[in-house]
Amino acid sequence: MQYQADVTIELKSGMLDPEGTTIKRALEHLGYKAESVKTAKKYTIDLQAESIHAARETVEEMCQKLIANPIIHNYSISLRELQ
């Protein structure tokens, strides 16, 4: 079966986010008030797997081995079956 995984990578709490800080400052210069701005990356991965469980395990391995740095990142995975 074919699945699509959306993987969102975010910095862990306490990690510096210079891009988010810069955007927050720029928004304030434009007159917008924001309590905080945090950046995240989203990856969309299409893959073949025998089941949604097998697909999740494969994407977990991808995140742990390459996509995310577990020391500084948290990640979440959303999976759906493609028709």
Side-chain angles (χ1 to χ4, degrees), residues 10-28:
E10 299 174 303
L11 289 168
K12 287 185 175 183
S13 180
M15 299 303 298
L16 294 177
D17 185 352
E19 187 176 3
T21 301
T22 300
I23 291 169
K24 181 180 182 294
R25 254 187 271 134
L27 288 171
E28 289 171 351

Side-chain angles (χ1 to χ4, degrees), residues 31-81:
Y32 298 104
K33 288 286 186 186
E35 293 295 317
S36 68
V37 176
K38 296 177 183 176
T39 59
K41 290 183 181 180
K42 179 182 171 187
Y43 297 91
T44 301
I45 303 167
D46 293 341
L47 69 151
Q48 293 282 334
E50 292 181 14
S51 67
I52 197 161
H53 179 72
R56 180 169 298 281
E57 284 183 356
T58 299
V59 176
E60 282 280 349
E61 286 178 20
M62 292 174 178
C63 289
Q64 292 172 6
K65 290 182 178 180
L66 178 68
I67 297 172
N69 178 343
I71 296 171
I72 63 169
H73 294 128
N74 288 323
Y75 62 89
S76 62
I77 300 169
S78 172
L79 273 171
R80 65 186 159 279
E81 185 179 331

